[in-house]
Amino acid sequence: MPTLPLAPDPSAPALDPRPGLSGLAPDELAGWFTERGEPAYRARQVGDAVWGRSATSVDEIRTLPAPLREAIDGAFRFDTVGDTELRLSDGGLTEKGLHRLSDGTLIESVLMHYPARGAMRERHTLCISSQGGCAVGCPFCATGELGFGRDLETAEIVDQVRHAARRLNAAGQRLTNVVFMGMGEPLANYGPVKTALEILTAEWGYAISPRRITVSTVGLAPAVARLIAETGVNLAVSLSASTDVQRDRLMPVNRRYPLAVLLNACRELPLPRRKRITFEYVLLAGENDADADAHRLVRLLHGLRVKLNLIPFNPFPDAGFAPSPRARILRFQAILRAQGIGATIRESRGQDIQAACGQLAAARPAA
Ligand code: SAH
Ligand code: SF4
């Protein structure tokens, strides 16, 4: 295992009790200024700096009087992911940010650049974390193997975006897409994730269309329904099995929300017309990649508007699983396609810097 410059610090202080500024809703921010007898435009000045310019410190807001800057600094953390190490890969097209939070918790985000191709415009997609570690414990996932640390606060989620937006803006580029596919189960940290989504989509925030945001979940059925009712984001459900026996083993949450319950919840979602649910399927050699699995999937997904995202397994030390051979993946895809299911194979990014799916925590120091 490589040693990390940003290894967890056992002597790290307790979490800084000041709330992160970027996680406040605008009315909360405005309320803070009004309570101090400050004019309303102060909140806008701060909001413009925090979300509009992704400023790193209150000192960058030169329009504020010094005593007010000091008061803000005393009340809030301005940047919760300030301590960040960046690693580049794929010729600079993939950037992994390893962030140390104020209590020593390590989380990661990955920024992926997709150059323009044909009619497709260039895209800059950020993959972010919603928790430090994950409690769900899927055995094929490095984060799951790491165990649960803690939920992230709203600002700790938004600051991953601010960090990437700042780097993009400096290069004259814009963040176009955000995916919640980093560390953690977003729907197990529902409140902060939902507030972060509001900030990412609001005009006064990042103004990213919900159509360009995807939340990936292991399938906590009640929270899936709530997410769709309350936000317009895209849903990706990690399926990775075609029977309950398989899924119990690969995704222990299946014992609580078995396939029938999960898929029924998906069937009842008030999905807007033309919108599809993405199902993610990590292909594990000899576990869930047989022709029979593909055929069972077709039956399971019958009647649902779906896209299937086939994810080649990214191995990590002692994972106990192996990636399916390429020919098997292609055959699996062909069976699905022949039955009318749009199945794509996800290209892997940043494997040399452990930035690929499910590897976000793999570079942890050996236990
Ligand atoms: N907890 C959420 C989001 C984070 S995981 C979820 O499970 O959906 C994001 C995606 O990475 C999931 O589809 C998950 O199945 C996949 N994944 C996890 N470990 C992986 C690995 N080692 N190789 C490939 N994909 C993996
Ligand atoms: Fe958690 Fe998702 Fe990893 Fe499962 S796959 S352990 S839910 S992060």
Side-chain angles (χ1 to χ4, degrees):
M1 265 306 160
T3 343
L4 288 177
L6 272 184
D9 177 358
S11 61
L15 186 65
D16 189 328
R18 293 172 301 163
L21 189 58
S22 70
L24 296 188
D27 50 340
E28 290 175 302
L29 190 62
W32 190 83
F33 285 99
T34 335
E35 270 171 31
R36 268 156 197 78
E38 294 286 344
Y41 65 81
R42 292 291 185 214
R44 276 200 305 280
Q45 285 175 328
V46 172
D48 285 350
V50 170
W51 299 300
R53 301 198 298 280
S54 301
T56 48
S57 129
V58 72
D59 295 325
E60 289 176 33
I61 320 179
R62 305 310 300 181
T63 44
L64 294 183
L68 194 53
R69 273 186 262 149
E70 265 168 42
I72 294 175
D73 204 35
F76 302 104
R77 269 174 297 154
F78 201 91
D79 190 1
T80 60
V81 303
D83 192 4
T84 291
E85 179 204 313
L86 267 192
R87 291 183 186 179
L88 301 191
S89 137
D90 301 327
L93 289 179
T94 304
E95 305 174 19
K96 176 165 94 161
L98 182 60
H99 313 285
R100 182 165 43 203
L101 308 180
S102 65
D103 63 344
T105 297
L106 289 176
I107 57 160
E108 306 188 350
S109 62
V110 182
L111 179 59
M112 291 159 286
H113 306 280
Y114 299 91
R117 221 174 46 188
M120 288 269 281
R121 291 207 192 152
E122 70 172 25
R123 274 183 300 132
H124 304 280
T125 300
L126 182 67
C127 173
I128 57 178
S129 297
S130 56
Q131 298 181 309
C134 184
V136 179
C138 309
F140 60 87
C141 168
T143 307
E145 292 291 275
L146 186 69
F148 184 59
R150 67 169 172 85
D151 284 331
L152 298 190
E153 296 169 21
T154 304
E156 291 167 336
I157 300 171
V158 174
D159 283 348
Q160 297 170 61
V161 177
R162 293 195 332 116
H163 207 280
R166 191 179 305 137
R167 299 197 314 269
L168 285 165
N169 294 348
Q173 297 164 328
R174 274 192 67 230
L175 183 62
T176 55
N177 300 66
V178 176
V179 296
F180 285 72
M181 293 185 186
M183 293 169 74
E185 167 49 40
L187 299 188
N189 186 20
Y190 193 87
V193 165
K194 172 147 185 257
T195 312
L197 288 173
E198 275 160 22
I199 294 170
L200 297 187
T201 52
E203 273 306 316
W204 46 260
Y206 278 93
I208 302 176
S209 160
R211 282 175 291 127
R212 294 181 173 273
I213 300 180
T214 300
V215 173
S216 172
T217 174
V218 72
L220 309 182
V224 168
R226 197 171 157 203
L227 179 80
I228 294 304
E230 295 180 352
T231 74
V233 298
N234 301 312
L235 176 66
V237 178
S238 297
L239 198 60
S240 297
S242 69
T243 68
D244 278 318
V245 173
Q246 271 174 352
R247 201 162 188 269
D248 281 352
R249 171 171 142 72
L250 296 175
M251 307 178 79
V253 73
N254 194 66
R255 292 185 204 121
R256 195 145 42 112
Y257 304 114
L259 281 172
V261 171
L262 175 60
L263 294 171
N264 271 342
C266 290
R267 281 200 171 82
E268 283 163 14
L269 290 177
L271 269 198
R273 267 173 195 282
R274 287 205 297 272
K275 202 152 187 172
R276 287 171 189 274
I277 303 176
T278 299
F279 284 94
E280 294 161 287
Y281 197 100
V282 179
L283 283 154
L284 304 161
E287 293 279 342
N288 63 1
D289 64 347
D291 287 0
D293 288 302
H295 290 296
R296 272 193 295 263
L297 269 184
V298 173
R299 286 197 293 277
L300 277 176
L301 300 178
H302 183 74
L304 274 161
R305 288 204 304 280
V306 301
K307 284 187 280 201
L308 214 82
N309 204 332
L310 302 175
I311 311 180
F313 172 61
N314 288 306
F316 53 92
D318 306 322
F321 296 98
S324 304
R326 189 76 188 170
R328 180 92 299 270
I329 298 179
L330 291 172
R331 162 102 183 134
F332 202 89
Q333 180 189 35
I335 295 176
L336 293 165
R337 287 194 163 171
Q339 302 290 326
I341 294 191
T344 49
I345 300 170
R346 184 180 293 174
E347 64 166 300
S348 191
R349 281 292 190 97
Q351 281 186 310
D352 54 331
I353 52 167
Q354 286 85 37
C357 267
Q359 282 198 337
L360 288 186
R364 67 195 183 272

